Structures are given as C-alpha cells and as structure tokens.
Amino acid sequence: AADGLRVKAVGTGHSFTAAAATDGLLIRPERLTGVREIDRTAGTVTVAAGTPLKRLNETLSAHGLSLTNMGDITEQTVSGAISTGTHGTGRDSASIAAQIRGLELVTADGSVLACSEKENPEVFAAARVGLGALGVITAVTFAVEPEFWLTAREEPMPFDRVTAEFDQLAAENEHFEFYWFPHTGNCNTKRNNRSPGPAAPPSPLSAWIEDELLSNTLFRALCALGRTAPATIPPVAKISSRALSARTYTDIPYKVFTSPRRVRFLEMEYALPREAAVAALRELRAMIERSRLRISFPVEVRTAPADDIPLSTAAGRDTAYLAMHQYRGTSHHAYFSAAEQIMTAHGGRPHWGKLHSRDAGYLAGVYPRFDEFRALRDRLD
C-alpha cells in the first residue's frame, strides 16, 4: 500500500489467459496449504487456498471422503480452480465452485470476510467464481461425501451416432463426455457412473498402454510430426482415432475422473446452451472440412447443469462445453478465431482460464448478472 502497488493472487499459472497478470504485487499461495478442518456431521472440508487439487483429492481419500465431481486436471490450486470456473462433466453435479459451502476472503482494505449463504451471502454468491477480482481467497470449504466407487466405460463411437444420441447419452449417464477427432468421423466416449464396487482398476500394463503410451507418448510424437508436416495430420488422425480400444474399469472417484496430461497445448473452450451443442459441433466440423486447417488434437465435449453463480459459465442454464486444442508451437489463431465465431453465434461463454478474444461488452450480454458482479468488485476493491 505504501508503494501504491496493485495486488493480485495467482495459483499455479495453469490458465492460458492473463487473468492473474499484474504490474503490481503478485501473491503466490504456495505455503498456504493443507486441510484446516473436516466436519463429518456437516459433510464439509475446509482447506487452505494454495492446496493443489491433487493433494486435496489424496487427503480426502485418506479420510474416506470425496468431492462429488471434478475435472480431469489436478495441478491447480483450489483457489485458482474455483476462481476460473474449473469443471468436469456431469448430469446432476456441477463445477468445483458449485460444491463450495464457504470462503475466507481478504479484501483490499485488509478485512477478513467469512462468506457463506448465511454470512456475507452476496459476496459468497459471486466470489465462488471471482477471477481474483474481489479479494484474495485464503480458505475454501467444500461439500464432500463418503468416498464411492465409480465405473468408467470408455468406448469408440461414430460421430454421427454420438451427435444423434447426445441428449440420450447425457441423460442416461451421471457423467458423459466425448472426444471428436477432426478430419475423421470417429469419437471416443466416456461414461462414468456410480457402482457398488468392488474396485476393478485397469491392470498396470493396460493403464500404461492406454494412458501413457498411446494417450501421451505416441500422441505427442504424432502431434510433433503434424507440426512439422501438416499434410500428415488427416491420415494419421484416421489411424490414431482408432487406437484406443473399449474398456471398463472401477475405482475411487479421483482415479476415474482425472487423467495424466503430458502433451502441451493451447486451448479455447466455450460454454453453450445445452441445446446448441450438437449444432455448434457440426458447424465446427464443416468449417474444418472446408478449410485448409489441419487439427491434430480432438475436440472435447462435456456437460454441466445450471448453477446460480453469477460468473459461472453454467450460470442459469444447462450447459455443454466445447473445447478446442492446438499442439504447442503450432499456429492456433486461424482455428480459434473461426471456432470462436461459431461459439459466439450460439451465445457462448468463454472459459475464464482459456484463450478467447471477448471483451466486457460481449460478456455483459451473455452473463445477466455481469453488472452485479462489477458493482460488488467496485465495493470491495
């Protein structure tokens, strides 16, 4: 304050955007870690804001507890993950931020606010996805439940079948997602549903072949080849999209929801009204086919139910997410710009931590409570 510096908090730097950039003082919460309290009666866990999701999942599991839903990346801090709207896929269960029951927030004047539905409820409502704009989160209280078994069914499926049956697949499964491989008519689907158990994880050899050799080592090599020789991407995509075989396995939640991701990329993701997902994906496919673009990364499609968080990408509407990726070192501008035109034509909301070119005017048009959030920011900061 004496030097007149602005203050901004950052997590692990996982985001693709400059959401945490500042010309002032950058706070990193690396030493603000660990579980503060487990309340089994209330079904909550309070954790320091700098705790990585990976460590949170492991600690919860050690106590026989779990989040209801999560994304597939665990490198983020809990505060960074919620502040940017990190999500997985779910029919009934929403983003990580929607599972918050309380926050501890330090505001610009040094006040420490305890926030929940009962304490400072208007701050709690907005700060669950706050972009670091309302203050510095120091602790988060999550709703948790007894650890359960989750059965994953991974299966290749033609593009036309997935898109024709999308509504049914999303309705019949607790967690449904699929990946479409550009330049092909092939998709890979994943259905996660609760089961009575027992555990039946993939064998070490099978897990290594599918998750490390094919999904990381070989895929990285193919992406590097495509970057050097783009003409190889379509024929290679037709082969690689058939490489993953069907499999079913059962394990504790975080071992099913999360996956190792070792191939570097850039990403754009848009949240669309659920009913627009298939049309937008078909338009994206048609755009790629009539262009000279060569896309080596699959397009990921996930879902989320509507929630009540002002800047949540699922605020007020059942949502489908379309995520576009491009291998690191490959030009992404033409692809992302063309994809963004399709997404915004359907009223898409960009993921706060992923690349986009939207400004405040656009965002105010797709977030009905955008001005409410800005007024709260002005009051707190």
Side-chain angles (χ1 to χ4, degrees), residues 180 183-184 284-294:
W180 166 60
H183 313 294
T184 81
L284 183 69
R285 182 184 185 184
M287 179 275 292
I288 292 173
E289 288 179 346
R290 68 173 178 263
S291 74
R292 300 182 65 181
L293 295 170
R294 296 294 178 263

Side-chain angles (χ1 to χ4, degrees), residues 48-196:
T51 307
L53 287 173
K54 178 179 181 180
R55 191 185 306 176
L56 172 62
N57 288 333
E58 292 170 347
T59 302
L60 290 176
S61 182
H63 288 86
L65 300 169
S66 177
L67 294 171
T68 299
N69 197 1
M70 60 192 78
D72 68 349
I73 304 293
T74 59
E75 303 304 315
Q76 308 101 308
T77 61
V78 294
S79 55
I82 64 172
S83 295
T84 53
T86 294
H87 63 90
T89 188
R91 180 188 61 202
D92 309 306
S93 52
S95 68
I96 298 176
Q99 299 171 66
I100 298 172
R101 295 296 175 266
L103 288 169
E104 183 181 85
L105 189 74
V106 179
T107 63
D109 66 0
S111 301
V112 180
L113 296 184
C115 306
S116 67
E117 290 183 345
K118 296 180 179 180
E119 291 185 277
N120 299 297
E122 76 288 353
V123 179
F124 173 71
R128 288 173 290 172
V129 180
L131 309 179
L134 304 180
V136 178
I137 295 171
T138 48
V140 184
T141 299
F142 290 104
V144 294
E145 59 178 302
E147 194 170 63
F148 50 91
W149 297 113
L150 206 59
T151 293
R153 179 182 173 191
E154 298 176 1
E155 180 185 8
M157 194 176 290
F159 179 92
D160 291 339
R161 179 185 167 191
V162 174
T163 51
E165 299 178 8
F166 175 69
D167 290 338
Q168 179 183 347
L169 289 164
E172 290 179 348
N173 296 279
E174 292 177 71
H175 310 275
F176 174 70
E177 65 183 306
F178 71 92
Y179 297 83
W180 166 60
F181 294 83
H183 313 294
T184 81
N186 304 323
C187 297
N188 200 47
T189 65
K190 185 175 183 181
R191 287 169 267 192
N192 296 334
N193 291 284
R194 297 191 186 211
S195 81

